[in-house]
Amino acid sequence: GGTSTGRSAWLYNGTTTQNIGLTGTGYTQTGGFQYSSVNSLNAAGQVAGTSERYNGGTSTGRSAWLYNGTTTQTIGLTGTGYTNTSTGDQYSSVNSLNAAGQAAGRSNRYNGSNYTGQSAWFYDDDLNQTYAFNFSLRSDGYGYSQISYLGDDGLALGQFQLFDGSTDLGLRAYAWTVEDGF
């Protein structure tokens, strides 16, 4: 009819168009509304994007996902420390996808129901592993990091906020790889 039911993410593979992104329970609002978007596509046909999260008619954040050519899976940071315990909110976004199927993004941090900054993360599709970038935390648990560049070789470049207890010492640049770490 005349009612919007959201936005779907899709991929045309040269033969067929298929729906990708996260759907179903947790990603469908009461009444059938869903909202997914694509952020990145690589030459191998892998796609990274986000889908809105819902609990009934209430928005509960956003999840990052990766379509690897066969399935769509949730990526990013979830669970304790990344979930608002009073609302169930989680918020992850993906900002980069390289030729190797590695993705980078950020997730909101929570201490119970209190927002405590954001953590950058790196996901390796071959290893099916997510790495959290929590290089420095303030004495109350607040932290901030982000990835600004992800190379095809897996090099992540970004910045983090450095703390000495409760004292903010400013932003610092970093380089990181799976092999060499921070």
Side-chain angles (χ1 to χ4, degrees):
T3 303
S4 172
T5 57
R7 178 187 292 178
S8 296
W10 53 269
L11 175 67
Y12 177 71
N13 63 13
T15 306
T16 61
T17 301
Q18 54 195 93
N19 193 25
I20 58 176
L22 301 170
T23 60
T25 305
Y27 300 98
T28 305
Q29 189 180 45
T30 304
F33 188 89
Q34 296 177 346
Y35 194 92
S36 292
S37 59
V38 170
N39 175 275
S40 303
L41 167 71
N42 66 18
Q46 295 169 307
V47 183
T50 58
S51 294
E52 297 299 315
R53 297 167 38 90
Y54 299 102
N55 181 2
T58 304
S59 174
T60 57
R62 180 178 297 164
S63 293
W65 51 262
L66 175 68
Y67 173 76
N68 63 13
T70 306
T71 60
T72 302
Q73 63 186 45
T74 303
I75 58 175
L77 301 171
T78 60
T80 304
Y82 302 99
T83 303
N84 182 315
T85 56
S86 66
T87 63
D89 286 7
Q90 292 178 353
Y91 184 93
S92 291
S93 62
V94 59
N95 60 359
S96 302
L97 175 66
N98 67 16
Q102 297 166 322
R106 70 173 188 87
S107 296
N108 284 358
R109 299 172 44 81
Y110 297 95
N111 180 1
S113 61
N114 297 317
Y115 172 78
T116 56
Q118 72 178 37
S119 296
W121 52 263
F122 173 92
Y123 175 76
D124 189 306
D125 187 49
D126 287 340
L127 300 174
N128 191 27
Q129 186 168 352
T130 302
Y131 300 85
F133 292 6
N134 295 312
F135 301 128
S136 181
L137 299 177
R138 194 167 58 197
S139 55
D140 65 358
Y142 177 88
Y144 172 86
S145 60
Q146 74 175 28
I147 294 175
S148 302
Y149 168 82
L150 177 61
D152 285 340
D153 60 354
L155 172 65
L157 300 176
Q159 62 183 0
F160 70 97
Q161 202 163 1
L162 181 63
F163 296 101
D164 180 10
S166 61
T167 303
D168 181 354
L169 301 176
L171 294 174
R172 301 292 194 265
Y174 70 86
W176 182 94
T177 64
V178 170
E179 295 80 20
D180 299 323
F182 177 65

